[in-house]
Amino acid sequence: ACSRAGQHDKALAALDQLALQGSVDATFYSLRARVLTDLGRDAEARAAMRTCLQLKMSSKPIAAKPTPRSTRS
């Protein structure tokens, strides 16, 4: 919802909190890729989409990997 309202930084922060709570799935990484694209963080978006596709192919959830917070807005 935050992403659709143009609050991409807030949406990314919410996704980061969700990831800290445990396992994430392909849908999580797909949404993360979309938010990162909207923020212009294309390299990170591509990495998230690669993870999404890998998960879809394996159909197994994986433990969340911590992601560094960028100072770029």
Side-chain angles (χ1 to χ4, degrees), residues 6-66:
Q7 300 174 349
H8 306 297
D9 289 323
K10 195 173 189 179
L12 188 57
L15 287 170
D16 288 343
Q17 287 301 312
L18 183 62
L20 292 174
Q21 295 176 14
S23 294
V24 292
D25 60 9
T27 302
F28 168 86
Y29 281 102
S30 176
L31 181 56
R32 183 172 180 80
R34 180 178 178 171
V35 171
L36 288 166
T37 297
D38 290 343
L39 287 168
R41 294 165 59 176
D42 296 332
E44 291 171 88
R46 283 190 300 275
M49 188 51 69
R50 276 193 298 274
T51 302
C52 170
L53 295 173
Q54 288 171 346
L55 287 172
K56 283 186 177 194
M57 291 172 58
S58 71
S59 299
K60 295 179 184 175
I62 60 170
K65 299 176 194 172

